[in-house]
Amino acid sequence: MADVKMVSLTIEGRPVTVPDGTSILEAAKSAGVLVPHYCYHPGLPVAGVCRMCLVEVEKFPKLAPACATTVGEGQVVHVHSAKALEARKGVLEFLLINHPLDCPICDQAGECELQDYTFAEGRADSRYREPKRFNPVEDFGGDVLYVQNRCILCTRCVRFMDDVVHEPVLNVSERGDRAFIGKAEGHDLTNPWAGNVVDLCPVGALLSKDFLNKARAWELDRAPTVCTGCSQGCNAVAETRDNVVVRLKPRPNEDVNQYYMCEVGRQGYRDFNRRDRADQPLVRLNGQLQVSDWEDAINAAAQTTEGRRLVVIASPNLSNESLFLLERMIGERNGAGVFRLTRGGESVLPGAKDLALRAERAANATGARSLGFSEVTQFTNAVRSGDAVFVVGDQLDGIDASELAGASSVVYIGTALPASIAGTVTAVLPVTNTLEEEGTFTNLRGRVQRYLQARTAPGVARPTWYVLADLLVAIGGNGRFYLPSEVFAALSATHTTFAGLDYEALGLRGLPLAPQGATASAEVTV
């Protein structure tokens, strides 16, 4: 492959070297200089219609749009010169002529680019005295509302539906000051990927019906996470208000989901707000489940495995760290590990490389297989008479209680006790869900990705890996771990597929697994 030609230039007095063909706007980003823009988005074709990114390039006869102008050797670019600032001030004045003063009631307030740039570079007052135009709100179908009054016609939504989704449902209708975003007759934004137009909109013109009036941007706490909706492993941001998850938004990662996220993943935030959570350890005494302390509950769970084969029914949404600790428990009791998978239709996003809502509706089935767990559809053949069973994270939906009837005991380790085993379970160990702990998942392409804690757990529920480490020690295994990074270090030291991976080095974009190899059996002390 030929060497990439590099170009050196100066932007706002800062020397920059970037590959030939890079736009001035992207080159400025690498120099830490933000060029204001509306229509430009790195995941969409360049349109150059908003004229907000005008910059002054020495020896150019006029201002140049930074999004559509490629870098040249020796260029000297001024982003904040008097000439560029005056031009952008004029653009903002025109955009605000008919824009309503909706900021106090707009969902975009606090994260609106029109607000930000007007504050930074706009006029202090308005010269416009005529009445502003008014148009009613339109339902675009799906989860999207269109507020025409706020629209600045950046056309990001149109280009996304045309060039990424390949469903040209949206268009720019009419001309001049009467132009608006139109929707094709008889069509709605019901495509599983159409919700991304809300994220792409730089103002409050496209809104999510589900999030409407729920919170303001400054009221939200945010944490990076990984979507559990399917095996794609889309990078996301979990946003919470008063410890309640209110929204999941895509987080850019060129190697996984680019800038997008499907509707199944977005709406999955509701699963993390269940009100029927197990929040206290329970142990069955005299036929009744009673609240216990953690030490007694751990010991009660460990005692059920003494002299018996252990079968672990694991959720494919458990972290690699939790599955690794379960694998060790299985090894201590010569048992077996199984998991079930929910499957659905696959929906590809054509304009984004290798991105789709996958048929496997779980985040870590790949990790489960890598750690020796087998997929099953029912537990009749997996559970033998007299086995001790640990149900970890699986809600047992659609499972008849008779499938576990041969077990000598059942211990539930999860977030909400399934009704099917509530009358027979020996102990309940309440643990956190994905947004209440940190750990790693392995997606369908073998990319290991970290997620961080976004909210606090209810009651005295503990991180899943933490509970399993204590349980492993109680069983007699090596489980002296105090951080998820320590568990991951032991995992990467004992499994060739995870060899060479470091918890901190994963960052927030992840790293690929080593080529497929046999699982090592060596034990490490951490």
Side-chain angles (χ1 to χ4, degrees):
M1 182 177 178
D3 293 337
V4 177
K5 180 184 176 182
M6 304 299 288
V7 174
S8 296
L9 66 159
T10 303
I11 301 177
E12 282 298 297
R14 306 179 188 185
V16 183
T17 300
V18 294
D20 189 21
T22 304
S23 68
I24 290 177
L25 193 150
E26 286 293 339
K29 283 184 186 179
S30 67
V33 177
L34 174 63
V35 179
H37 59 278
Y38 289 122
C39 68
Y40 175 78
H41 187 278
L44 301 174
V46 173
V49 297
C50 75
R51 316 312 287 177
M52 189 62 192
C53 66
L54 295 173
V55 296
E56 186 174 2
V57 183
E58 289 187 6
K59 299 182 180 179
F60 273 36
K62 58 184 179 180
L63 297 177
C67 69
T69 306
T70 55
V71 295
E73 185 66 36
Q75 276 180 344
V76 179
V77 180
H78 302 286
V79 177
H80 300 299
S81 67
K83 193 175 179 182
L85 288 171
E86 187 63 24
R88 294 201 294 271
K89 185 184 292 186
V91 172
L92 285 168
E93 185 175 19
F94 275 112
L95 289 177
L96 291 171
I97 280 177
N98 281 305
H99 197 88
L101 299 176
D102 273 356
C103 299
I105 62 167
C106 180
D107 273 357
Q108 194 79 359
E111 53 188 7
C112 173
E113 293 174 35
L114 188 59
Q115 275 185 332
D116 295 341
Y117 295 147
T118 299
F119 179 79
E121 300 187 353
R123 291 179 57 88
D125 58 356
S126 173
R127 295 184 290 177
Y128 191 69
R129 298 292 178 262
E130 288 72 28
K132 294 177 181 286
R133 70 182 178 192
F134 174 79
N135 296 282
V137 175
E138 184 178 355
D139 187 343
F140 269 10
D143 186 43
V144 183
L145 288 177
Y146 175 51
V147 186
Q148 184 177 333
N149 302 318
R150 301 172 186 165
C151 183
I152 63 172
L153 293 171
C154 69
T155 71
R156 284 187 183 181
C157 56
V158 178
R159 283 174 284 145
F160 173 74
M161 294 303 296
D162 283 359
D163 299 293
V164 183
V165 181
H166 292 182
E167 285 188 14
V169 175
L170 302 179
N171 59 71
V172 179
S173 300
E174 299 295 342
R175 297 181 180 182
D177 68 330
R178 299 187 181 186
F180 62 93
I181 301 300
K183 179 168 63 73
E185 186 175 354
H187 295 270
D188 285 326
L189 294 185
T190 53
N191 184 283
W193 299 93
N196 287 285
V197 299
V198 176
D199 304 321
L200 292 170
C201 184
V203 294
L206 293 171
L207 301 175
S208 164
K209 300 176 194 174
D210 180 71
F211 185 70
L212 193 65
N213 299 328
K214 274 188 179 178
R216 293 288 175 257
W218 54 85
E219 298 171 328
L220 300 175
D221 295 312
R222 299 172 176 84
T225 189
V226 175
C227 177
T228 58
C230 77
S231 57
Q232 180 73 32
C234 290
N235 290 209
V237 174
E239 299 186 337
T240 61
R241 180 187 183 190
D242 297 331
N243 208 43
V244 176
V245 186
V246 296
R247 183 166 64 175
L248 288 176
K249 295 179 68 176
R251 178 166 52 89
N253 188 330
E254 284 287 349
D255 296 310
V256 182
N257 59 306
Q258 286 84 64
Y259 307 91
Y260 312 116
M261 187 177 183
C262 77
E263 205 62 26
V264 170
R266 288 175 190 277
Q267 301 305 322
Y269 78 89
R270 293 182 174 87
D271 296 335
F272 300 108
N273 290 328
R274 294 186 60 156
R275 296 188 177 184
D276 58 345
R277 292 288 297 277
D279 59 3
Q280 300 287 335
L282 303 175
V283 174
R284 188 170 297 280
L285 297 173
N286 300 320
Q288 298 293 322
L289 281 178
Q290 299 182 16
V291 175
S292 171
D293 61 31
W294 269 106
E295 185 176 359
D296 289 344
I298 290 288
N299 288 334
Q303 287 171 8
T304 64
T305 69
E306 292 183 1
R308 298 188 180 278
R309 176 176 175 266
L310 173 63
V311 175
V312 173
I313 299 172
S315 164
N317 279 326
L318 292 177
S319 67
N320 290 316
E321 292 75 21
S322 296
L323 292 167
F324 168 67
L325 294 169
L326 288 170
E327 180 197 36
R328 283 193 167 182
M329 284 188 215
I330 293 167
E332 291 291 327
R333 292 293 186 262
N334 296 317
V338 297
F339 67 94
R340 295 187 305 150
L341 261 180
T342 300
R343 284 183 163 80
E346 187 161 299
S347 176
V348 175
L349 185 59
K353 182 181 177 182
D354 195 33
L355 178 56
L357 167 62
R358 302 296 175 178
E360 291 187 350
R361 299 291 205 263
N364 205 23
T366 302
R369 295 185 184 103
S370 298
L371 294 168
F373 287 76
S374 304
E375 182 183 352
V376 297
T377 55
Q378 57 183 13
F379 305 132
T380 307
N381 297 328
V383 179
R384 304 172 188 168
S385 178
D387 285 345
V389 174
F390 284 178
V391 179
V392 188
D394 193 314
Q395 289 301 123
L396 302 180
D397 295 329
I399 294 297
D400 192 283
S402 62
E403 294 188 31
L404 302 178
S408 63
S409 61
V410 177
V411 171
Y412 182 71
I413 306 168
T415 58
L417 179 61
S420 60
I421 58 172
T424 57
V425 67
T426 302
V428 176
L429 306 181
V431 296
T432 54
N433 61 37
T434 301
L435 297 188
E436 295 162 355
E437 63 182 26
E438 65 173 280
T440 63
F441 290 140
T442 307
N443 78 349
L444 80 164
R445 300 300 181 220
R447 191 173 190 85
V448 181
Q449 304 182 101
R450 283 182 63 186
Y451 59 88
L452 304 186
Q453 182 179 352
R455 53 174 274 182
T456 57
V460 296
R462 291 179 175 178
T464 311
W465 65 267
Y466 191 94
V467 172
L468 296 178
D470 283 349
L471 190 52
L472 177 58
V473 171
I475 287 176
N478 177 15
R480 299 293 182 183
F481 303 110
Y482 304 99
L483 292 170
S485 57
E486 295 176 351
V487 184
F488 189 83
L491 167 61
S492 61
T494 56
H495 291 71
T496 55
T497 50
F498 288 85
L501 293 180
D502 178 78
Y503 193 74
E504 295 301 326
L506 292 176
L508 292 176
R509 294 181 182 271
L511 292 170
L513 286 173
Q516 187 66 35
T519 301
S521 59
E523 196 78 9
V524 297
T525 302
V526 179

